[in-house]
Amino acid sequence: MNPFTQVSSNRSFGGHQKVLRHASRALGCDMNVGVYLPPQAESGRCPVLYWLSGLTCTEQNFVTKAGAQEHAARHGIIVVAPDTSPRGEGVADDPAYDLGQGAGFYVDATTEPWARHYRMHEYVALELPALVEAHLPASPDRRGIFGHSMGGHGALTLALRHPGRYRSVSAFSPIVAPSRVPWGEKAFSAYLGSNREAWKAWDATELVREAKERLPILIDQGDADQFLTRELQPELLRAACEAAGHPLTLRMQPGYDHSYYFIATFMRDHVEHHAAALR
């Protein structure tokens, strides 16, 4: 039985941009997922590229603003863009934009009231790919992952925590050291508790030191990003990668900010980065 219900479907660059809905066991709620099926998916299985969005976003931000469909169609890649957190009645929330619904941080929460639903790591790494590969024309052994801001943090940590699961990884404006910046400190304190040692398992600058796989990382960061100095600090990941001998391409893009205008500008480069590894 197919667990997905179609919410919408629109023809795009010869393929179809869909929004699907399903019940998530890991999260204990229903979830929306943006799925772009390129024209090549009509005749065979295609590689899958997972996109993780940032704070306050749903699946719609990427679907409508990133401009990924044209590039995915050219390379025959399925793009899967889940929501950023569990949602719905009974799901814990907070009035602030950077905690609760819309701010799952791609961790598995261990403290109440968050632990019951906030298991975004399990959902993105395990549950969602299993459903995608069982019910969509997706190759089970050709996965890439990328994301923006909080989602860039998620993409980096998932790739580093699961060697061999992804063939490629990249990020736009990622939170590279969440255990050392205010956004991450707030979220980790709530979701994971006060033990900072436990936070290291969800911090890319810590994980890269012990990485068992040297998957090349591509990062684009705007130098006019309003969050650059306080929340993002890509130089921390550069230093950690240099110390560990981990391949990193960090491109500082002059004049660009934190918005989807920036993401859309360099989306082609990122899809091509993944396509080269997913062929």
Side-chain angles (χ1 to χ4, degrees), residues 141-194:
D141 60 347
R142 290 189 291 165
R143 305 181 200 94
I145 192 164
F146 65 155
H148 172 233
S149 194
M150 176 185 73
H153 141 75
L156 294 174
T157 55
L158 263 78
L160 290 165
R161 286 173 63 100
H162 295 275
R165 187 159 187 80
Y166 302 98
R167 291 194 184 185
S168 55
V169 60
S170 73
F172 294 85
S173 323
I175 306 170
V176 301
S179 61
R180 287 184 273 176
V181 299
W183 273 342
E185 289 176 325
K186 179 177 181 177
F188 284 8
S189 294
Y191 299 146
L192 305 173
S194 59

Side-chain angles (χ1 to χ4, degrees), residues 21-50:
R21 190 164 178 83
H22 74 99
S24 168
R25 172 194 50 76
L27 303 177
C29 67
D30 290 346
M31 291 290 283
N32 280 357
V33 185
V35 176
Y36 179 69
L37 296 176
Q40 295 88 336
E42 295 180 8
S43 57
R45 291 188 175 270
C46 296
V48 185
L49 185 51
Y50 290 87

Side-chain angles (χ1 to χ4, degrees), residues 51-57 61-62 84 97-98 102-107 145-158 169-178 181-184 187-188 202-204 218-222 225-234 237 257-260 262-263 267 270:
W51 169 268
L52 305 182
S53 291
L55 288 166
T56 76
C57 290
N61 298 74
F62 177 81
T84 54
Y97 77 96
D98 54 358
F105 259 85
Y106 305 101
V107 302
I145 192 164
F146 65 155
H148 172 233
S149 194
M150 176 185 73
H153 141 75
L156 294 174
T157 55
L158 263 78
V169 60
S170 73
F172 294 85
S173 323
I175 306 170
V176 301
V181 299
W183 273 342
F188 284 8
W202 306 99
D203 186 313
L218 169 64
I219 290 176
D220 274 309
Q221 171 66 63
D225 190 318
Q226 62 269 43
F227 304 112
L228 178 58
T229 302
R230 177 179 167 87
E231 304 286 2
L232 305 178
Q233 301 184 32
L237 183 62
D257 58 18
H258 201 69
S259 71
Y260 266 81
F262 162 59
I263 293 169
M267 181 55 63
H270 282 249

Side-chain angles (χ1 to χ4, degrees), residues 132-144:
V132 166
E133 290 160 16
H135 299 284
L136 296 174
S139 270
D141 60 347
R142 290 189 291 165
R143 305 181 200 94

Side-chain angles (χ1 to χ4, degrees), residues 6-11 15-19:
Q6 183 167 287
V7 177
S8 64
S9 181
N10 298 93
R11 193 77 167 159
H16 292 88
Q17 177 61 61
K18 297 177 179 289
V19 175

Side-chain angles (χ1 to χ4, degrees), residues 60-110:
Q60 285 298 314
N61 298 74
F62 177 81
V63 166
T64 60
K65 297 179 180 179
Q69 293 90 348
E70 178 181 5
H71 312 305
R74 186 168 61 255
H75 293 286
I77 296 173
I78 296 170
V79 184
V80 175
D83 200 348
T84 54
S85 77
R87 297 182 193 268
E89 187 176 350
V91 176
D93 199 8
D94 187 274
Y97 77 96
D98 54 358
L99 191 66
Q101 295 186 35
F105 259 85
Y106 305 101
V107 302
D108 289 340
T110 56

